[in-house]
Amino acid sequence: MTLRIAGTMRAGELDIDVDLEVPRGHTVALVGPNGAGKTTIIRSITGLQALETGRIEVDGVVWDAPADDIFVPAERRHVGVVFQDYRLFGHLSARENVAFGLRAAGVSRRPAHEAAESIMARLGVGAAADRRPDSLSGGQAQRVAIGRALAIEPDVLLLDEPMAALDVSARGAVRRDLRDWIASVDGYRLLVTHDPVDAHALADHVVVVEHGRVTQTGTMAELAAAPRSDYVAELMGTNLVRGRLVGDHLDVDGGGTLFVGAHHVDDGPVVATVRPAAVALHRERPEGSPRNVWESIVVGVDVADGRVRVRLGDPHPFVVEVTAAGFASLEAGAGSSLWASVKASEIALVADA
């Protein structure tokens, strides 16, 4: 059971040719630089743009197949969309916005509003039901937009940069809730994002689109370990670690501890980021200032453009970037034991709850 889009389309001068699948019950993140074709792919799934060739299928039902003269119009595709700017209807209350899809599908006013109120209560914005969008905070508007998409119990949920309109300080506070809300959709979930933290927190799998083509797929760890393009290397220019912050240290999910420097994040669930170049490798246990020192096994080595990306095993399976000369001086390879270190000040934190 999958959502599959395999076909060609155009966006201005850009020719797009993609083949991607979203398994039922999974969240796939679609990432890529501006102008890569991500929005056009989303539009083709919603039915706002037709394929030139190929087909779109959901659970074996064809939505678009030019060769067979099949095109299911947007209003007949059971798709919920959360837009980057939310696109709430300014003349409607929050309750009416959430109920809009149900009303458009023919549900009478009272049951549609009752369903909307139930969803809004679950999303924590029940008290805002009578307010217009211009009086909502960014977080409240996001919840209303998500409620509108969830209310129709969609077969396909599409989220276009759902965190982009939020202040940085507010993103961590809603990220975990967002993961739980979209997980309630027992269908197909496709997330468009530029933020590796969002992809790490919300998605099971990542599809990279560049110049209208899928250039790499995999988990965040797989992309970080062996980026196949400059864009992916830049996107994955950080190691992501989830855990629980307690004072000056992070208890890492799955085991291990990392000490952190000065921060403005409250104790609790966090996502920590560590740049690959911030991690140092040593043949012997280092002396000096780093508070985080551990021994690990090299599980992989990738060389590109004079830089070496070293993949470490437990307790912290980081990707470390060093110069070719620096790696040569370690006289190490896959299976070698090395010491790694990172300063507490090099670990950045983002709230994850």
Side-chain angles (χ1 to χ4, degrees), residues 94-95 116-131 143:
R95 178 193 298 106
E117 289 171 357
S118 176
I119 290 172
M120 293 180 70
R122 179 159 59 92
L123 299 181
V125 285
D130 293 316
R131 293 166 58 184
R143 287 167 167 79

Side-chain angles (χ1 to χ4, degrees), residues 278-294:
V279 183
L281 298 177
H282 318 265
R283 293 183 65 183
E284 305 292 339
R285 184 184 180 93
E287 299 178 356
S289 60
R291 296 189 68 187
N292 297 296
V293 178
W294 68 94

Side-chain angles (χ1 to χ4, degrees), residues 47-254:
L48 297 177
Q49 179 165 337
L51 295 178
E52 293 193 347
T53 66
R55 63 202 295 118
I56 297 174
E57 293 185 7
V58 178
D59 291 340
V61 177
V62 179
W63 281 5
D64 192 350
D68 299 323
D69 196 26
I70 297 174
F71 183 80
V72 177
E75 62 271 19
R76 290 177 49 206
R77 302 187 187 191
H78 208 208
V79 177
V81 185
V82 179
F83 297 99
Q84 181 176 153
D85 57 0
Y86 307 141
R87 300 189 189 180
L88 298 177
F89 301 112
H91 65 291
L92 300 179
S93 68
R95 178 193 298 106
E96 291 167 331
N97 266 279
V98 174
F100 180 83
L102 294 173
R103 296 286 285 134
V107 178
S108 59
R109 183 176 183 276
R110 182 171 181 177
H113 281 198
E114 289 176 348
E117 289 171 357
S118 176
I119 290 172
M120 293 180 70
R122 179 159 59 92
L123 299 181
V125 285
D130 293 316
R131 293 166 58 184
R132 297 285 179 86
D134 60 4
S135 70
L136 301 175
S137 69
Q140 289 172 326
Q142 184 206 47
R143 287 167 167 79
V144 172
I146 292 170
R148 183 175 62 183
L150 297 181
I152 63 172
E153 299 182 351
D155 293 323
V156 179
L157 177 64
L158 305 175
L159 303 105
D160 186 5
E161 298 280 3
M163 309 290 286
L166 296 178
D167 293 337
V168 173
S169 60
R171 292 178 187 176
V174 300
R175 189 177 282 112
R176 175 166 291 184
D177 286 340
L178 179 58
R179 183 172 64 245
D180 292 339
W181 295 332
I182 64 178
S184 69
V185 175
D186 182 24
Y188 306 101
R189 310 184 292 256
L190 189 60
L191 163 74
V192 174
T193 183
H194 287 85
D195 190 334
V197 175
D198 288 345
H200 177 80
L202 302 174
D204 307 298
H205 196 77
V206 179
V207 175
V208 181
V209 177
E210 300 178 77
H211 309 295
R213 304 292 189 273
V214 174
T215 58
Q216 191 166 359
T217 65
T219 64
M220 293 292 286
E222 289 169 344
L223 267 61
R228 296 179 186 171
S229 70
D230 291 341
Y231 170 78
V232 178
E234 182 177 353
L235 176 74
M236 300 304 303
T238 187
N239 293 288
L240 301 169
V241 183
R242 180 175 282 116
R244 178 169 289 275
L245 180 66
V246 182
D248 67 347
H249 67 276
L250 174 66
D251 292 329
V252 178
D253 290 355

